[in-house]
Amino acid sequence: MNKGVILCVDDDSTVLNALRLLLGKIFGGENIIEIAESGEEALEIVEEYGAEGTTVSVIVSDYIMPHMRGDALLVALHERSPDTVKIMLTGQSDLEGVKKAINHANLYRFLEKPFNNADLVLTLRSALQAFHQEAKLRKEILQLQQELAASTAALQAKEHELAQLRAGRP
């Protein structure tokens, strides 16, 4: 089984190092912990994994970053990787960016900075579970669609055979 990918994005290297240490300790056995210092770098990482056929499982992004805010990153990421579970960290009391991420990026959760490590870990556990459950459901739906298509084709063949018998043709 392939490892999942957790991507942390923040322009503060101290926060990134803390996230990498915390998440690596808890989730590093089954997941690769990636970090990016900007939205642009995060999108590049997502594209690289996508080219390998891997979906980033969860992204944890800061809201206030230079060049590309977290809400804009999550919206752009949602367009490229809609299955990725998105979490935003914000120290801002203005919730406009959070609303934008909810409405346009399917934001899973937002946590206020400074975040509590236990809350972050619980949120990530839940996000990873949601990611894997959604992936399982998508796989089951695809399998059911394939079975339905095969059954439909078989039914059409039988209907054609029956129509030929009714018309007196073998």
Side-chain angles (χ1 to χ4, degrees):
M1 183 165 132
N2 292 341
K3 285 189 169 197
V5 179
I6 298 171
L7 174 58
C8 301
V9 189
D10 200 307
D11 60 317
D12 184 339
S13 61
T14 305
V15 172
L16 279 179
N17 290 331
L19 285 169
R20 185 188 340 223
L21 183 65
L22 173 67
L23 301 181
K25 188 181 212 181
I26 306 292
F27 301 105
E30 299 92 32
N31 298 278
I32 298 167
I33 311 300
E34 289 280 359
I35 60 169
E37 293 185 359
S38 69
E40 295 86 355
E41 184 182 354
L43 291 174
E44 287 175 18
I45 290 170
V46 169
E47 293 290 332
E48 288 171 9
Y49 275 104
E52 297 172 4
T54 301
T55 300
V56 171
S57 307
V58 179
I59 184 168
V60 178
S61 176
D62 187 23
Y63 173 55
I64 300 294
M65 297 184 290
H67 308 294
M68 181 184 288
R69 288 189 336 215
D71 59 338
L73 165 62
L74 296 181
V75 169
L77 174 68
H78 186 67
E79 292 169 1
R80 291 170 172 86
S81 182
D83 299 332
T84 299
V85 179
K86 297 149 207 88
I87 298 169
M88 187 184 313
L89 301 176
T90 179
Q92 303 299 310
S93 58
D94 174 21
L95 296 180
E96 284 307 308
V98 174
K99 288 179 190 175
K100 180 180 176 184
I102 289 169
N103 293 329
H104 301 289
N106 194 26
L107 184 68
Y108 182 73
R109 295 273 195 295
F110 81 94
L111 299 172
E112 292 188 59
K113 278 181 162 182
F115 56 85
N116 175 290
N117 287 353
D119 288 344
L120 181 63
V121 167
L122 287 174
T123 300
L124 268 157
R125 271 204 182 103
S126 175
L128 286 166
Q129 183 178 13
F131 176 82
H132 292 297
Q133 185 66 31
E134 286 287 327
K136 180 181 175 187
L137 288 174
R138 280 190 304 279
K139 185 177 177 181
E140 289 174 0
I141 288 169
L142 180 61
Q143 182 179 355
L144 289 171
Q145 288 171 333
Q146 291 169 343
E147 290 173 10
L148 177 61
S151 295
T152 300
L155 178 60
Q156 288 172 342
K158 291 292 183 185
E159 286 174 343
H160 180 70
E161 184 181 319
L162 181 59
Q164 286 183 333
L165 287 172
R166 285 185 180 153
R169 294 182 300 228

